[in-house]
Amino acid sequence: MRRIVVKASIATVLSIAASLGLAMSIIPLLGGVVDGNAWLMTVLCPLLIAFPASAYQFWQHERLRTARDEIGRLHGELTRAHAALAQRARRDGMTGLLNRESFFGDASRLSAQDEGGALLVVDADHFKTINDRFGHPAGDAALLAITAAMKGVLRKGDLCGRIGGEEFAIYLPGTTDAETRVIAERLRAAVAAVRFEAPDGTQVPLSVSIGGARAGPGRNFEQVMTEADRLLYKAKRRGRDRVAFAGRVAQAA
């Protein structure tokens, strides 16, 4: 309000100055005399008209500016909320990893552009036993422990998603076969090193089986997924807690 009064006062002073200037230049040209009444009118009329008119105009301008600022603020909040919701829709609610649809979409696009990469399918071993013996909350805690162990191994730029109840998928961009085997083995070892305790205090060993397949340009991603899945079950059949990649099964140490 103070700013409006100051602006209106300045506008009024300028109006009075303009009115005085016109009176002093025009009235003599018309043969009149600028007397007391003329002086009074040149000051009083701008004062009575210019101040309220300019004050109202500046008030309206302030209202519009405030409204624009508020609209801008709300638009920013809506944009951030929309982005947060969109990001949340891409994530698995429990682990925070990419959900199945988002992972396959991102990995498929990345593999089509990548000069060389690999897909790993990771499955928690004997997970049904944990759920049946200790309950689903313990199973959820085990999945979170597995997720944390894998995150500690993965590099920046690697994609990781939860694609089933206890099944995960990882896309490793720009890796050779040798690098892929090393990362897969580190994932397996990191999970095996977890010391997981059930609610009753029982120490429950955790392990994962991993199947991997080469991805990249010219390879259909669905076929890559099928191959990785086939190798996963090969690792399962060989005793679990193993990595199977390109026809080779690496046993747990």
Side-chain angles (χ1 to χ4, degrees), residues 5 15 36 48 54 67 71 81 95 111 127 142 170 194 217 237:
V5 171
S15 296
L48 295 176
S54 59
I71 290 172
T95 63
S111 68
F127 187 73
I170 299 168
V194 173
R237 289 193 302 270

Side-chain angles (χ1 to χ4, degrees), residues 95 97 122 124 140-155 158 160 168 170 183-196 206-208 210:
T95 63
L97 300 175
V122 183
D140 291 346
L143 285 179
L144 290 174
I146 291 171
T147 299
M150 292 194 302
K151 284 181 176 179
V153 173
L154 295 178
R155 310 161 304 169
D158 292 339
C160 186
F168 306 87
I170 299 168
I183 294 172
E185 177 56 29
R186 286 176 179 171
L187 288 167
R188 184 207 63 76
V191 175
V194 173
R195 296 294 176 260
F196 179 71
L206 299 179
S207 67
V208 292
I210 303 175

Side-chain angles (χ1 to χ4, degrees), residues 39-106:
W39 286 111
L40 181 63
M41 293 300 294
T42 55
V43 173
L44 189 60
C45 287
L47 188 63
L48 295 176
I49 297 173
F51 185 82
S54 59
Y56 178 76
Q57 182 180 1
F58 289 130
W59 176 69
Q60 288 284 67
H61 178 75
E62 285 293 318
R63 286 186 61 193
L64 289 173
R65 187 181 64 81
T66 302
R68 285 195 301 268
D69 291 345
E70 182 65 12
I71 290 172
R73 184 185 67 81
L74 291 175
H75 182 266
E77 290 183 358
L78 287 172
T79 300
R80 289 189 293 273
H82 178 74
L85 286 173
Q87 185 63 23
R88 194 174 301 153
R90 288 171 43 82
R91 297 284 170 177
D92 172 62
M94 186 178 72
T95 63
L97 300 175
L98 292 172
N99 59 31
R100 182 183 180 89
E101 181 180 355
S102 297
F103 174 83
F104 284 138
D106 289 359

Side-chain angles (χ1 to χ4, degrees), residues 231-243:
L231 289 167
L232 165 67
Y233 285 98
K234 182 177 181 180
K236 291 277 191 184
R237 289 193 302 270
R238 294 292 180 89
R240 296 180 170 82
D241 194 20
R242 283 164 169 74
V243 175

Side-chain angles (χ1 to χ4, degrees), residues 161-211:
R162 184 185 180 196
I163 61 173
E166 64 271 17
E167 191 172 33
F168 306 87
I170 299 168
Y171 183 78
L172 306 172
T175 54
T176 64
D177 287 356
E179 290 169 336
T180 299
R181 290 191 183 96
V182 169
I183 294 172
E185 177 56 29
R186 286 176 179 171
L187 288 167
R188 184 207 63 76
V191 175
V194 173
R195 296 294 176 260
F196 179 71
E197 188 175 289
D200 64 358
T202 302
Q203 293 291 324
V204 181
L206 299 179
S207 67
V208 292
S209 298
I210 303 175

